[in-house]
Amino acid sequence: MAFVKKNGLLYSEDLHTVLGVDDSSDAFTGRIPYGAHAIDDEVFSECPYESISVPDSVKKLGNKVFENSTALEKVKLSSSLQVLPSYLFRGCSALTKVVMPEKLASYSEGLFMDCASLLEIPFRAGIEEIPANFMEGCKSVKAVVFPLDVTEIGPRAAARCTSLESVVFPAGITQIALDAFEGCTALSSIRIDGESELFYIGSDGSLYAKEDDQLIVKNCADHNQTVSFFDNNLDETADDNSDDDDFEEDDTFFSVEIGASDMEIDSVGLSNKVENIKPTVQEIKMADESNVDSMLADIMGEEKQRTSTSAPVVSEQESKVMSDMLDIMSDAPANSSKGAVSTDELEQLFAKNEESEPAGPDADVNTNSSEKDKKTQILIDSVEFSKILEFEPKGEAPEDADLFVVAEKTVTGEDGQKAFSSKLELCCKKFAAIHDFKRVILLAGLPLDNDEFMQFYFHFISKKNVILACEASCPSKLSDYCKTICEESRISLETKDLLEQRKLISVKTDNLIKLIIQDIY
């Protein structure tokens, strides 16, 4: 077959199809130049590249293009693709980031099979079927919220996802293969988003078929060992004669799980004037308003007297970053809602800001408001996803009227776009109402592996009100990402400090808020 060598790649004579990589050249760096229309079978199979970017001119991918590329960490796919071949990323064990096409006609069988490092599945709206082996062996995924349009989940679609703890099914689900979640030994939270005609959650937390009470998805949690997130622990005054040696760190929690209903959002009484991303998440509906009031009272109500200890909840060694964080600075489609700037742009931002950067963590105290706004914008521009909630305080706003909220995860809205959970947003509105904040700035996807950003973040955020919204229920279960956020944001993980912060959030004070809350999606 005749071919043309160009840019370190092998092309067809018309330069429309990428046939392979030119082994005699080192010109190819992972970015395919614009102009190619197709990529042939297995072109990048078992490739040594860590990152590959497919231009929007590409409209067709061959079979097994990336299969078993164990060094591959990031892939940007063409936004023009509507069909992805089966097992496209199978065996890409280092893959952590995939920028997907915005519109896909369907998912393909085994698409992410054995992508052991992938932290979340990039779903798209409109997909009705999760095919066989779709995410089998994705051992790092902890939570899955299936899009609202999904009606079928095929054989072994999410099998062997050994870290998977939480699954949310849409109410319209009609078929789930009995082995779809086989080997998901950590699965402990199974929910249906609404009233399902065919399935129900049993008293053991498992998913059953209504027709014959057949077990469909098993809840693997040991219910005899389950501890209530809030009521059975921090709301109870400890026995003065209790043995401190019986205290387990997993029984010390951050704060109540946040939650709210549609009507509760309307009852907040705050104007939400400016949002840089429109809310797209379907609001979670509760059984009745009294349950909502009770739940929110746990967050905002008066705190009972609690026993505190000065011993660290986690060891110093546990508090350190254990591994490199996910690099979120890969390319995105031109019309994506992603807010992050490129690595080069980040470097320019920080270089431009270097002269005015404070010399130390306490130097930002006297910085004027315009400079603070400039730095806030740099922070927003640097992250993967952001949203600003603005309010009109009923009382006197504090000197620093901004609250920064770093979310560990985002959810997928009905349109397939990223969003912050409606529960988290309602919780932020409550905090704003109590403390008379003018703005709540929600952030997700901080580029923790960028040294310039992390230095900027530490100096800027150390004297700011900041909340971490995470999946973990206690310090020992924090992800490395969240441990880094805590360390750089000066959020203490000592029990006495966590309890004190929970008291401070419920009343207006002059003290900085450095809080952790659990956000379960």
Side-chain angles (χ1 to χ4, degrees):
M1 177 186 295
F3 58 82
V4 176
K5 293 184 178 182
K6 187 176 181 180
N7 301 316
L9 296 171
L10 304 178
Y11 289 88
S12 58
E13 289 185 289
D14 59 6
L15 297 179
H16 286 170
T17 302
V18 178
L19 302 176
V21 179
D22 183 3
D23 294 333
S24 64
S25 170
D26 57 1
F28 181 65
T29 59
R31 183 182 296 273
I32 302 172
Y34 190 91
H37 296 172
I39 299 177
D40 207 4
D41 296 346
E42 303 181 25
V43 168
F44 299 108
S45 178
E46 301 183 15
C47 75
Y49 307 104
E50 295 181 357
S51 175
I52 293 179
S53 177
V54 180
D56 292 344
S57 60
V58 171
K59 298 181 179 180
K60 182 180 179 180
L61 295 179
N63 295 320
K64 304 178 182 179
V65 171
F66 303 107
E67 187 178 38
N68 293 326
S69 294
T70 56
L72 192 60
E73 299 177 4
K74 299 181 296 180
V75 174
K76 174 198 171 295
L77 293 176
S78 165
S79 62
S80 302
L81 293 169
Q82 294 187 2
V83 177
L84 301 180
S86 298
Y87 300 97
L88 178 64
F89 297 107
R90 177 168 61 179
C92 295
S93 55
L95 189 67
T96 57
K97 178 70 176 181
V98 180
V99 178
M100 297 280 282
E102 293 190 351
K103 295 182 180 180
L104 285 175
S106 64
Y107 287 133
S108 56
E109 182 175 327
L111 183 63
F112 296 108
M113 186 174 181
D114 291 325
C115 293
S117 299
L118 197 62
L119 298 176
E120 61 180 356
I121 303 301
F123 287 116
R124 284 293 178 263
I127 299 296
E128 297 180 357
E129 180 184 0
I130 306 298
N133 312 109
F134 173 70
M135 53 178 287
E136 179 177 356
C138 289
K139 298 180 179 180
S140 296
V141 173
K142 292 185 177 182
V144 172
V145 179
F146 289 107
L148 295 177
D149 294 323
V150 170
T151 58
E152 297 183 20
I153 299 178
R156 301 189 64 79
R160 296 191 293 112
C161 293
T162 52
S163 295
L164 185 62
E165 299 174 356
S166 174
V167 175
V168 180
F169 297 101
I173 194 79
T174 60
Q175 182 177 337
I176 304 174
L178 294 179
D179 61 352
F181 295 87
E182 185 175 295
C184 296
T185 54
L187 192 56
S188 58
S189 175
I190 302 171
R191 292 192 293 141
I192 302 176
D193 186 14
E195 182 66 27
S196 171
E197 296 181 0
L198 302 177
F199 301 97
Y200 71 94
I201 305 297
S203 58
D204 62 348
S206 298
L207 184 72
Y208 291 87
K210 288 183 178 180
E211 183 177 4
D212 53 7
D213 294 325
Q214 182 179 15
L215 176 64
I216 304 297
V217 182
K218 179 177 175 57
N219 187 324
C220 298
D222 184 352
H223 288 272
N224 293 326
Q225 299 296 323
T226 299
V227 201
S228 170
F229 181 81
F230 188 80
D231 295 336
N232 289 352
N233 293 284
L234 297 181
D235 259 358
E236 295 181 354
T237 303
D239 187 348
D240 292 338
N241 297 323
S242 63
D243 188 350
D244 291 339
D245 292 336
D246 292 334
F247 183 83
E248 297 180 1
E249 70 177 20
D250 279 344
D251 290 341
T252 302
F253 299 92
F254 301 133
S255 68
V256 66
E257 175 188 347
I258 57 181
S261 69
D262 287 333
M263 53 190 166
E264 186 65 16
I265 291 176
D266 295 332
S267 69
V268 174
L270 295 171
S271 63
N272 185 3
K273 300 188 300 180
V274 178
E275 298 181 356
N276 60 353
I277 301 293
K278 294 181 180 179
T280 57
V281 183
Q282 180 182 19
E283 307 293 352
I284 295 179
K285 297 181 179 179
M286 310 299 291
D288 57 65
E289 190 168 9
S290 61
N291 289 340
V292 174
D293 292 340
S294 175
M295 190 179 331
L296 292 172
D298 281 339
I299 306 176
M300 303 303 168
E302 294 182 355
E303 297 281 356
K304 296 180 180 180
Q305 182 65 33
R306 295 183 173 91
T307 301
S308 63
T309 174
S310 60
V313 178
V314 290
S315 67
E316 183 178 353
Q317 183 177 4
E318 283 182 306
S319 299
K320 294 180 179 179
V321 183
M322 303 303 295
S323 64
D324 292 333
M325 293 299 100
L326 171 65
D327 181 5
I328 55 88
M329 301 309 297
S330 58
D331 294 332
N335 56 351
S336 169
S337 62
K338 179 177 177 180
V341 295
S342 68
T343 304
D344 292 340
E345 290 172 320
L346 260 182
E347 292 176 357
Q348 293 176 9
L349 273 176
F350 296 128
K352 186 182 299 183
N353 191 60
E354 189 174 13
E355 293 183 2
S356 60
E357 190 63 33
D362 299 326
D364 191 50
V365 175
N366 298 318
T367 306
N368 61 48
S369 59
S370 62
E371 186 66 22
K372 288 182 179 180
D373 286 342
K374 175 184 175 183
K375 293 180 180 180
T376 298
Q377 190 60 50
I378 290 176
L379 179 59
I380 292 171
D381 290 341
S382 301
V383 303
E384 183 180 25
F385 185 69
S386 64
K387 182 174 183 176
I388 300 176
L389 307 178
E390 290 199 359
F391 308 100
E392 296 178 359
K394 293 182 178 180
E396 182 179 355
E399 182 177 351
D400 191 342
D402 287 346
L403 171 66
F404 293 85
V405 178
V406 180
E408 181 178 14
K409 292 289 180 68
T410 55
V411 296
T412 303
E414 294 181 11
D415 59 355
Q417 299 298 313
K418 286 186 178 181
F420 295 101
S421 75
S422 57
K423 298 186 294 180
L424 177 58
E425 288 193 27
L426 177 60
C427 198
C428 291
K429 292 177 182 179
K430 288 290 186 179
F431 293 153
I434 292 173
H435 293 270
D436 290 313
F437 290 129
K438 292 182 178 180
R439 296 192 304 180
V440 176
I441 300 158
L442 295 103
L443 309 166
L446 277 63
L448 303 191
D449 59 347
N450 185 290
D451 294 338
E452 291 85 357
F453 172 81
M454 291 312 297
Q455 183 177 10
F456 170 84
Y457 177 84
F458 174 77
H459 290 322
F460 178 68
I461 212 73
S462 59
K463 289 295 183 179
K464 303 293 182 183
N465 299 298
V466 59
I467 290 177
L468 169 65
C470 64
E471 292 185 298
S473 57
C474 60
S476 64
K477 295 181 180 179
L478 277 174
S479 66
D480 292 336
Y481 177 89
C482 289
K483 289 177 183 178
T484 302
I485 295 297
C486 288
E487 182 177 354
E488 298 298 326
S489 305
R490 292 187 172 180
I491 299 176
S492 172
L493 296 180
E494 291 192 6
T495 305
K496 62 180 180 64
D497 294 329
L498 293 173
L499 296 181
E500 183 62 27
Q501 282 295 318
R502 289 185 51 174
K503 296 176 183 178
L504 290 176
I505 196 63
S506 62
V507 293
K508 185 175 180 179
T509 70
D510 293 330
N511 296 323
L512 279 178
I513 296 172
K514 299 287 185 180
L515 184 69
I516 307 177
I517 60 177
Q518 185 185 31
D519 185 13
I520 296 182
Y521 319 93

